């Protein structure tokens, strides 16, 4: 496919691979283009376990959403939601509570277009919504999310930023942006997030392979920026951390594990290189 591909949604950049579409390819989806698949194939050659790591990240999202739904959260704001694939937030949440609602937000046109198609195909476009927007603008995203009529700002909301914050650069005010969102949420809301970490990476046997993939991403339209556990922990300032706190993905509520991918790495949780956490707003 080319940059003139008539099937591509308006605004799609087909000159460079994109993280949302690459992730979709890792998970076995079809909302990707040749340039994304070429990137993915190179990444697999450099780090053969990368598809498993991607699946572990998706599994964490599912466990987090199920935990929230079982604890009374029935509305979600998923920022950087990506391309729809197995275990989307609204599907996981409504399996627990049929009345659950979700607003998806992404800045990748392919992700937004496919999300809208999925909601319309399932006949739930009125109960859930998708927005094309940048999470860097909390005021705009919050206003537009409420304008959909899907979310009630007077009741607790599950704010999700899973697998997206490492696409924000080191010079961007990530902590302040998160705090802006948290200030808008009502008491009893939750913040669910994950992040690639630099902690311990140099000690890993495959550190060179991982660094080569990061260099790959840095040549794409969505470069990656790793952060330490200490920095990631500051994103939860003012919140009550849910046990077990800030941990590697396979360590977060392992009793809820369902996929073979996550179970496979349960004995070596640091291997995934991702940390995560869930915090509740008092």
């Amino acid at each position: 496919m080319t940059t003139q591909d008539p099937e591509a949604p308006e605004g799609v950049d087909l000159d460079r691979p994109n993280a949302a579409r690459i992730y979709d390819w890792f998970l076995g989806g079809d909302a990707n283009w040749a340039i994304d698949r070429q990137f993915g194939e190179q990444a697999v050659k450099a780090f053969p376990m990368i598809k498993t790591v991607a699946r572990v990240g998706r599994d964490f999202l599912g466990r987090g959403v199920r935990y929230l739904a079982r604890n009374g959260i029935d509305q979600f704001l998923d920022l950087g939601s990506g391309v729809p694939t197995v275990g989307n937030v609204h599907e996981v949440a409504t399996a627990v509570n049929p009345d659950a609602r979700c607003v998806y937000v992404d800045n990748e046109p392919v992700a937004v277009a496919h999300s809208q198609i999925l909601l319309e195909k399932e006949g739930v476009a009125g109960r859930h919504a998708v927005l094309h927007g940048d999470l860097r603008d909390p005021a705009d995203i919050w206003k537009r999310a409420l304008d959909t009529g899907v979310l009630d700002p007077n009741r607790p909301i599950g704010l999700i930023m899973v697998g997206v914050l490492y696409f924000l650069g080191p010079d961007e005010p990530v902590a302040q942006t998160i705090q802006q969102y948290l200030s808008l949420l009502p008491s009893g809301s939750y913040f669910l997030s994950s992040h690639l970490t630099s902690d311990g990476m140099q000690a890993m046997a495959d550190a060179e392979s991982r660094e080569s993939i990061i260099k790959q991403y840095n040549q794409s339209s969505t470069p990656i920026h790793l952060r330490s556990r200490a920095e990631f922990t500051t994103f939860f300032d003012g919140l009550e951390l849910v046990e077990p706190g800030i941990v590697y993905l396979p360590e977060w509520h392992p009793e809820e594990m369902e996929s073979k991918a996550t179970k496979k790495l349960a004995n070596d949780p640091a291997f995934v290189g991702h940390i995560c956490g869930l915090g509740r707003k008092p």
Side-chain angles (χ1 to χ4, degrees), residues 153-168:
N154 299 309
R155 294 192 302 108
I157 293 171
L159 175 66
I160 299 172
M161 295 188 193
V162 168
V164 65
L165 293 176
Y166 44 79
F167 294 115
L168 302 185

Side-chain angles (χ1 to χ4, degrees), residues 6-162:
E7 296 183 4
E10 184 177 354
V12 171
D13 177 7
L14 295 183
D15 291 324
R16 293 185 295 172
N18 175 270
R21 306 191 310 255
I22 296 166
Y23 188 63
D24 173 68
W25 184 82
F26 286 151
L27 294 175
D30 57 7
N32 50 74
W33 272 259
I35 196 165
D36 307 306
R37 295 189 285 275
Q38 291 167 5
F39 181 103
E41 288 164 359
Q42 290 175 2
V44 169
K45 287 180 181 178
F47 181 33
M49 287 289 286
I50 195 167
K51 287 187 176 182
T52 298
V53 170
R55 168 53 59 191
V56 171
R58 194 67 179 180
D59 291 346
F60 163 70
L61 173 64
R63 295 201 305 282
V65 172
R66 279 195 298 274
Y67 178 95
L68 293 176
R70 290 170 180 169
N71 284 274
I73 300 299
D74 62 2
Q75 49 180 355
F76 300 83
L77 178 58
D78 186 2
L79 305 179
S81 52
V83 176
T85 184
V86 177
N88 299 298
V89 171
H90 76 281
E91 295 168 332
V92 176
T94 54
V96 177
N97 180 352
D99 294 325
R101 296 168 175 266
C102 181
V103 173
Y104 294 103
V105 180
D106 205 282
N107 64 356
E108 163 54 50
V110 169
V112 174
H114 279 264
S115 296
Q116 190 61 49
I117 290 171
L118 175 66
L119 296 180
E120 291 174 355
K121 182 178 180 180
E122 293 182 357
V124 295
R127 197 171 76 216
H128 311 291
V130 57
L131 302 175
H132 183 214
D134 196 317
L135 64 79
R136 295 174 179 86
D137 190 348
D140 174 68
I141 295 300
W142 182 252
K143 179 182 183 302
R144 292 171 57 207
L146 295 186
D147 285 346
T148 65
V150 171
L151 304 178
D152 179 354
N154 299 309
R155 294 192 302 108
I157 293 171
L159 175 66
I160 299 172
M161 295 188 193
V162 168

